Amino acid sequence: MKIKVHEVPEGGMQISLAGQAITIHSKSLIINEPIDGKLLVQKQGDRDLHIRGSLSTRILLECGRCLSSFGHPVKSEFYVDCTPMVKGPIRQEYRLSGEDLNLHFYQGDTVDVDEIIESQIHLETPMVPLCQTDCKGLCLVCGENLNEAPHVCIK
Ligand SMILES: [Zn+2]
Ligand SMILES: [Zn+2]
């Protein structure tokens, strides 16, 4: 989903995420449930947008211990300031110094909302996903999933 900056009315607009086609580029991010939520888009000056949003979905993760797949609920409330990408030393430096997730640079006249949503979901993704907090992992001897009791290891 894309927003044309010049088409945003002065009073702002609201976008419902339900039913929208949202393209996720990262192969490691598997969306398991349609993304729900809404965005409130407001214009700031001529070229900048302030987007306030909330989203909820479910992603598929692989447990870092037992390697089983599990659904992980994601809920996020966020805001992002969108500003045109300007080539030049000052902006470039600005851009590199802060991987600022509340700042989104767009090209031309188009804000790619999917990119914003994708990075917000990434933020909510645990670094080491666990299917359960006390996941027992895999047996070091036979490789069986130790959560599936009873485990009798045949050495
Ligand atoms: Zn696990
Ligand atoms: Zn075993």
Side-chain angles (χ1 to χ4, degrees), residues 17 31 33-38 53-59 73-78 117 121:
L17 294 179
I31 306 291
E33 207 171 79
I35 298 170
D36 199 7
K38 61 174 188 286
S54 62
L55 66 85
S56 66
T57 185
R58 190 175 273 269
I59 57 175
V74 171
K75 260 189 196 302
S76 172
E77 304 259 339
F78 58 92
I117 288 171
I121 295 174

PDB file of all heavy atoms in Angstrom, residues 17 31 33-38 53-59 73-78 117 121:
ATOM      1  N   LEU A  17      -6.180  -0.951   7.952  1.00  0.00           N
ATOM      2  CA  LEU A  17      -5.248  -1.924   7.379  1.00  0.00           C
ATOM      3  C   LEU A  17      -5.937  -3.233   6.984  1.00  0.00           C
ATOM      4  O   LEU A  17      -5.428  -3.978   6.162  1.00  0.00           O
ATOM      5  CB  LEU A  17      -4.123  -2.229   8.377  1.00  0.00           C
ATOM      6  CG  LEU A  17      -3.181  -1.079   8.710  1.00  0.00           C
ATOM      7  CD1 LEU A  17      -2.141  -1.536   9.723  1.00  0.00           C
ATOM      8  CD2 LEU A  17      -2.487  -0.544   7.466  1.00  0.00           C
ATOM      9  N   ILE A  31       4.017 -13.797   7.940  1.00  0.00           N
ATOM     10  CA  ILE A  31       2.777 -13.309   8.539  1.00  0.00           C
ATOM     11  C   ILE A  31       1.761 -14.441   8.515  1.00  0.00           C
ATOM     12  O   ILE A  31       1.469 -15.019   7.474  1.00  0.00           O
ATOM     13  CB  ILE A  31       2.228 -12.093   7.742  1.00  0.00           C
ATOM     14  CG1 ILE A  31       3.292 -11.003   7.612  1.00  0.00           C
ATOM     15  CG2 ILE A  31       0.954 -11.552   8.379  1.00  0.00           C
ATOM     16  CD1 ILE A  31       3.652 -10.309   8.874  1.00  0.00           C
ATOM     17  N   GLU A  33      -1.385 -14.299  10.025  1.00  0.00           N
ATOM     18  CA  GLU A  33      -2.762 -13.848  10.232  1.00  0.00           C
ATOM     19  C   GLU A  33      -2.879 -12.476   9.571  1.00  0.00           C
ATOM     20  O   GLU A  33      -1.940 -11.691   9.651  1.00  0.00           O
ATOM     21  CB  GLU A  33      -2.993 -13.700  11.744  1.00  0.00           C
ATOM     22  CG  GLU A  33      -4.418 -13.860  12.203  1.00  0.00           C
ATOM     23  CD  GLU A  33      -4.474 -13.908  13.728  1.00  0.00           C
ATOM     24  OE1 GLU A  33      -4.397 -12.848  14.343  1.00  0.00           O
ATOM     25  OE2 GLU A  33      -4.570 -15.014  14.279  1.00  0.00           O
ATOM     26  N   PRO A  34      -4.004 -12.189   8.916  1.00  0.00           N
ATOM     27  CA  PRO A  34      -4.114 -10.878   8.253  1.00  0.00           C
ATOM     28  C   PRO A  34      -3.810  -9.727   9.215  1.00  0.00           C
ATOM     29  O   PRO A  34      -4.211  -9.761  10.375  1.00  0.00           O
ATOM     30  CB  PRO A  34      -5.573 -10.835   7.807  1.00  0.00           C
ATOM     31  CG  PRO A  34      -6.005 -12.252   7.740  1.00  0.00           C
ATOM     32  CD  PRO A  34      -5.211 -12.993   8.773  1.00  0.00           C
ATOM     33  N   ILE A  35      -3.088  -8.743   8.710  1.00  0.00           N
ATOM     34  CA  ILE A  35      -2.712  -7.606   9.542  1.00  0.00           C
ATOM     35  C   ILE A  35      -3.933  -6.702   9.734  1.00  0.00           C
ATOM     36  O   ILE A  35      -4.584  -6.321   8.770  1.00  0.00           O
ATOM     37  CB  ILE A  35      -1.554  -6.818   8.893  1.00  0.00           C
ATOM     38  CG1 ILE A  35      -0.320  -7.727   8.789  1.00  0.00           C
ATOM     39  CG2 ILE A  35      -1.232  -5.549   9.688  1.00  0.00           C
ATOM     40  CD1 ILE A  35       0.808  -7.157   7.947  1.00  0.00           C
ATOM     41  N   ASP A  36      -4.219  -6.407  10.979  1.00  0.00           N
ATOM     42  CA  ASP A  36      -5.340  -5.536  11.310  1.00  0.00           C
ATOM     43  C   ASP A  36      -4.794  -4.259  11.950  1.00  0.00           C
ATOM     44  O   ASP A  36      -3.687  -4.257  12.497  1.00  0.00           O
ATOM     45  CB  ASP A  36      -6.280  -6.270  12.278  1.00  0.00           C
ATOM     46  CG  ASP A  36      -7.662  -5.633  12.290  1.00  0.00           C
ATOM     47  OD1 ASP A  36      -7.916  -4.727  11.467  1.00  0.00           O
ATOM     48  OD2 ASP A  36      -8.482  -6.034  13.130  1.00  0.00           O
ATOM     49  N   GLY A  37      -5.559  -3.214  11.898  1.00  0.00           N
ATOM     50  CA  GLY A  37      -5.118  -1.984  12.547  1.00  0.00           C
ATOM     51  C   GLY A  37      -5.511  -0.781  11.729  1.00  0.00           C
ATOM     52  O   GLY A  37      -6.266  -0.890  10.762  1.00  0.00           O
ATOM     53  N   LYS A  38      -4.999   0.371  12.151  1.00  0.00           N
ATOM     54  CA  LYS A  38      -5.306   1.577  11.381  1.00  0.00           C
ATOM     55  C   LYS A  38      -4.168   2.591  11.468  1.00  0.00           C
ATOM     56  O   LYS A  38      -3.333   2.550  12.369  1.00  0.00           O
ATOM     57  CB  LYS A  38      -6.617   2.196  11.846  1.00  0.00           C
ATOM     58  CG  LYS A  38      -6.645   2.637  13.292  1.00  0.00           C
ATOM     59  CD  LYS A  38      -7.967   3.358  13.553  1.00  0.00           C
ATOM     60  CE  LYS A  38      -7.995   4.002  14.928  1.00  0.00           C
ATOM     61  NZ  LYS A  38      -8.156   3.071  16.033  1.00  0.00           N
ATOM     62  N   GLY A  53       0.032   4.942  14.176  1.00  0.00           N
ATOM     63  CA  GLY A  53      -0.634   3.702  13.801  1.00  0.00           C
ATOM     64  C   GLY A  53      -0.717   2.690  14.913  1.00  0.00           C
ATOM     65  O   GLY A  53      -0.033   2.786  15.937  1.00  0.00           O
ATOM     66  N   SER A  54      -1.596   1.739  14.695  1.00  0.00           N
ATOM     67  CA  SER A  54      -1.649   0.575  15.575  1.00  0.00           C
ATOM     68  C   SER A  54      -1.871  -0.624  14.664  1.00  0.00           C
ATOM     69  O   SER A  54      -2.546  -0.514  13.643  1.00  0.00           O
ATOM     70  CB  SER A  54      -2.789   0.712  16.580  1.00  0.00           C
ATOM     71  OG  SER A  54      -4.020   0.771  15.906  1.00  0.00           O
ATOM     72  N   LEU A  55      -1.253  -1.736  15.034  1.00  0.00           N
ATOM     73  CA  LEU A  55      -1.464  -2.931  14.221  1.00  0.00           C
ATOM     74  C   LEU A  55      -1.419  -4.167  15.092  1.00  0.00           C
ATOM     75  O   LEU A  55      -0.812  -4.173  16.168  1.00  0.00           O
ATOM     76  CB  LEU A  55      -0.432  -3.030  13.088  1.00  0.00           C
ATOM     77  CG  LEU A  55       1.045  -3.239  13.391  1.00  0.00           C
ATOM     78  CD1 LEU A  55       1.407  -4.702  13.570  1.00  0.00           C
ATOM     79  CD2 LEU A  55       1.881  -2.669  12.268  1.00  0.00           C
ATOM     80  N   SER A  56      -2.081  -5.182  14.628  1.00  0.00           N
ATOM     81  CA  SER A  56      -2.006  -6.475  15.303  1.00  0.00           C
ATOM     82  C   SER A  56      -2.033  -7.560  14.241  1.00  0.00           C
ATOM     83  O   SER A  56      -2.689  -7.438  13.212  1.00  0.00           O
ATOM     84  CB  SER A  56      -3.162  -6.646  16.297  1.00  0.00           C
ATOM     85  OG  SER A  56      -4.380  -6.715  15.603  1.00  0.00           O
ATOM     86  N   THR A  57      -1.246  -8.588  14.496  1.00  0.00           N
ATOM     87  CA  THR A  57      -1.190  -9.732  13.590  1.00  0.00           C
ATOM     88  C   THR A  57      -0.557 -10.891  14.350  1.00  0.00           C
ATOM     89  O   THR A  57      -0.393 -10.840  15.569  1.00  0.00           O
ATOM     90  CB  THR A  57      -0.384  -9.402  12.312  1.00  0.00           C
ATOM     91  OG1 THR A  57      -0.456 -10.517  11.425  1.00  0.00           O
ATOM     92  CG2 THR A  57       1.068  -9.105  12.606  1.00  0.00           C
ATOM     93  N   ARG A  58      -0.215 -11.912  13.633  1.00  0.00           N
ATOM     94  CA  ARG A  58       0.455 -13.052  14.227  1.00  0.00           C
ATOM     95  C   ARG A  58       1.537 -13.473  13.241  1.00  0.00           C
ATOM     96  O   ARG A  58       1.286 -13.533  12.040  1.00  0.00           O
ATOM     97  CB  ARG A  58      -0.565 -14.178  14.439  1.00  0.00           C
ATOM     98  CG  ARG A  58      -0.081 -15.335  15.268  1.00  0.00           C
ATOM     99  CD  ARG A  58      -1.221 -16.295  15.499  1.00  0.00           C
ATOM    100  NE  ARG A  58      -1.996 -15.925  16.672  1.00  0.00           N
ATOM    101  CZ  ARG A  58      -1.746 -16.390  17.907  1.00  0.00           C
ATOM    102  NH1 ARG A  58      -0.756 -17.232  18.122  1.00  0.00           N
ATOM    103  NH2 ARG A  58      -2.492 -16.022  18.917  1.00  0.00           N
ATOM    104  N   ILE A  59       2.733 -13.713  13.746  1.00  0.00           N
ATOM    105  CA  ILE A  59       3.806 -14.138  12.851  1.00  0.00           C
ATOM    106  C   ILE A  59       4.249 -15.546  13.233  1.00  0.00           C
ATOM    107  O   ILE A  59       4.032 -15.998  14.359  1.00  0.00           O
ATOM    108  CB  ILE A  59       5.018 -13.176  12.893  1.00  0.00           C
ATOM    109  CG1 ILE A  59       5.564 -13.047  14.321  1.00  0.00           C
ATOM    110  CG2 ILE A  59       4.644 -11.812  12.347  1.00  0.00           C
ATOM    111  CD1 ILE A  59       6.822 -12.205  14.420  1.00  0.00           C
ATOM    112  N   PRO A  73       1.886 -13.704  18.667  1.00  0.00           N
ATOM    113  CA  PRO A  73       1.058 -12.517  18.446  1.00  0.00           C
ATOM    114  C   PRO A  73       1.894 -11.239  18.474  1.00  0.00           C
ATOM    115  O   PRO A  73       2.820 -11.113  19.276  1.00  0.00           O
ATOM    116  CB  PRO A  73       0.064 -12.554  19.617  1.00  0.00           C
ATOM    117  CG  PRO A  73       0.703 -13.393  20.657  1.00  0.00           C
ATOM    118  CD  PRO A  73       1.661 -14.327  19.979  1.00  0.00           C
ATOM    119  N   VAL A  74       1.575 -10.331  17.581  1.00  0.00           N
ATOM    120  CA  VAL A  74       2.280  -9.049  17.516  1.00  0.00           C
ATOM    121  C   VAL A  74       1.252  -7.932  17.648  1.00  0.00           C
ATOM    122  O   VAL A  74       0.239  -7.939  16.946  1.00  0.00           O
ATOM    123  CB  VAL A  74       3.023  -8.894  16.165  1.00  0.00           C
ATOM    124  CG1 VAL A  74       3.570  -7.488  16.005  1.00  0.00           C
ATOM    125  CG2 VAL A  74       4.147  -9.904  16.067  1.00  0.00           C
ATOM    126  N   LYS A  75       1.535  -7.031  18.566  1.00  0.00           N
ATOM    127  CA  LYS A  75       0.703  -5.846  18.711  1.00  0.00           C
ATOM    128  C   LYS A  75       1.635  -4.663  18.790  1.00  0.00           C
ATOM    129  O   LYS A  75       2.652  -4.721  19.475  1.00  0.00           O
ATOM    130  CB  LYS A  75      -0.104  -5.929  20.012  1.00  0.00           C
ATOM    131  CG  LYS A  75      -1.528  -6.377  19.791  1.00  0.00           C
ATOM    132  CD  LYS A  75      -2.347  -6.249  21.052  1.00  0.00           C
ATOM    133  CE  LYS A  75      -3.633  -7.046  20.954  1.00  0.00           C
ATOM    134  NZ  LYS A  75      -4.476  -6.640  19.819  1.00  0.00           N
ATOM    135  N   SER A  76       1.327  -3.621  18.065  1.00  0.00           N
ATOM    136  CA  SER A  76       2.238  -2.492  18.057  1.00  0.00           C
ATOM    137  C   SER A  76       1.470  -1.178  17.944  1.00  0.00           C
ATOM    138  O   SER A  76       0.501  -1.074  17.194  1.00  0.00           O
ATOM    139  CB  SER A  76       3.208  -2.654  16.878  1.00  0.00           C
ATOM    140  OG  SER A  76       3.992  -1.496  16.733  1.00  0.00           O
ATOM    141  N   GLU A  77       1.901  -0.221  18.733  1.00  0.00           N
ATOM    142  CA  GLU A  77       1.412   1.151  18.610  1.00  0.00           C
ATOM    143  C   GLU A  77       2.649   1.973  18.256  1.00  0.00           C
ATOM    144  O   GLU A  77       3.683   1.832  18.914  1.00  0.00           O
ATOM    145  CB  GLU A  77       0.872   1.668  19.957  1.00  0.00           C
ATOM    146  CG  GLU A  77      -0.211   0.811  20.560  1.00  0.00           C
ATOM    147  CD  GLU A  77      -1.587   1.399  20.324  1.00  0.00           C
ATOM    148  OE1 GLU A  77      -1.675   2.618  20.067  1.00  0.00           O
ATOM    149  OE2 GLU A  77      -2.563   0.636  20.384  1.00  0.00           O
ATOM    150  N   PHE A  78       2.564   2.787  17.247  1.00  0.00           N
ATOM    151  CA  PHE A  78       3.780   3.452  16.801  1.00  0.00           C
ATOM    152  C   PHE A  78       3.468   4.785  16.140  1.00  0.00           C
ATOM    153  O   PHE A  78       2.310   5.087  15.835  1.00  0.00           O
ATOM    154  CB  PHE A  78       4.538   2.563  15.815  1.00  0.00           C
ATOM    155  CG  PHE A  78       3.737   2.183  14.592  1.00  0.00           C
ATOM    156  CD1 PHE A  78       3.804   2.954  13.451  1.00  0.00           C
ATOM    157  CD2 PHE A  78       2.906   1.075  14.606  1.00  0.00           C
ATOM    158  CE1 PHE A  78       3.059   2.622  12.329  1.00  0.00           C
ATOM    159  CE2 PHE A  78       2.149   0.733  13.480  1.00  0.00           C
ATOM    160  CZ  PHE A  78       2.230   1.512  12.353  1.00  0.00           C
ATOM    161  N   ILE A 117       5.254  -0.754   8.012  1.00  0.00           N
ATOM    162  CA  ILE A 117       4.608  -1.832   8.759  1.00  0.00           C
ATOM    163  C   ILE A 117       5.588  -2.978   8.990  1.00  0.00           C
ATOM    164  O   ILE A 117       5.685  -3.517  10.087  1.00  0.00           O
ATOM    165  CB  ILE A 117       3.348  -2.306   8.007  1.00  0.00           C
ATOM    166  CG1 ILE A 117       2.274  -1.213   8.131  1.00  0.00           C
ATOM    167  CG2 ILE A 117       2.836  -3.636   8.551  1.00  0.00           C
ATOM    168  CD1 ILE A 117       1.067  -1.424   7.297  1.00  0.00           C
ATOM    169  N   ILE A 121       6.831  -4.502  12.627  1.00  0.00           N
ATOM    170  CA  ILE A 121       6.666  -5.908  13.022  1.00  0.00           C
ATOM    171  C   ILE A 121       8.028  -6.489  13.417  1.00  0.00           C
ATOM    172  O   ILE A 121       8.148  -7.227  14.388  1.00  0.00           O
ATOM    173  CB  ILE A 121       6.003  -6.730  11.900  1.00  0.00           C
ATOM    174  CG1 ILE A 121       4.573  -6.232  11.677  1.00  0.00           C
ATOM    175  CG2 ILE A 121       5.981  -8.222  12.258  1.00  0.00           C
ATOM    176  CD1 ILE A 121       3.855  -6.870  10.504  1.00  0.00           C
TER     177      ILE A 121
END
